[in-house]
Amino acid sequence: MRWDQYPGAPAPGTPLCAADFTGARTVSAGAFGAIVIRGDDGALRGFVNLCPHQFLPLDYRAAQIVSADGARLICSSHQAQFDAVTGEVCAGPAECGLSVLPLQEAGGQIIIGDAPAA
């Protein structure tokens, strides 16, 4: 499912968090949960924070959702595993991958989708 088809999906241009971090974090925009990842190379990646197995947030039972090697995101409820770059399912009970969330950096913030027109 596309990210903007989820109930409560915020409008493109909605800020999610400050841009000055490296690693992965879970954030919310109202009731909409997101996973924001900034790689060591500075690249941004984002996913809707809902495991497609039972539509629970990946961090529902535990805050740690990144594998030790940083290559996978792991659902804390059922241990479904997803590629941290593409969101594709790697292992576990999920039959499809995570919904990709387009991200951009603007004004020191990570925002959803395209930056609003200035």
Side-chain angles (χ1 to χ4, degrees):
M1 176 184 317
R2 279 183 42 94
W3 72 272
D4 54 0
Q5 296 174 335
Y6 285 90
T14 300
L16 291 176
C17 61
D20 59 347
F21 76 96
T22 301
R25 59 174 50 180
T26 57
V27 297
S28 297
F32 184 83
I35 300 167
V36 179
I37 301 169
R38 183 186 294 279
D40 292 335
D41 61 357
L44 284 173
R45 297 182 302 279
F47 304 100
V48 175
N49 188 11
L50 282 177
C51 179
H53 174 235
Q54 289 195 335
F55 294 99
L56 292 171
L58 269 65
D59 59 342
Y60 183 72
R61 292 188 184 259
Q64 180 61 35
I65 61 169
V66 180
S67 64
D69 64 3
R72 294 175 313 282
L73 299 172
I74 303 170
C75 176
S76 63
S77 296
H78 300 100
Q79 283 64 57
Q81 297 181 29
F82 306 92
D83 184 279
V85 174
T86 66
E88 293 298 317
V89 67
C90 299
E95 294 182 9
C96 62
L98 300 172
S99 295
V100 174
L101 184 63
L103 300 175
Q104 288 193 9
E105 185 174 344
Q109 295 285 310
I110 304 297
I111 62 167
I112 294 174
D114 295 326

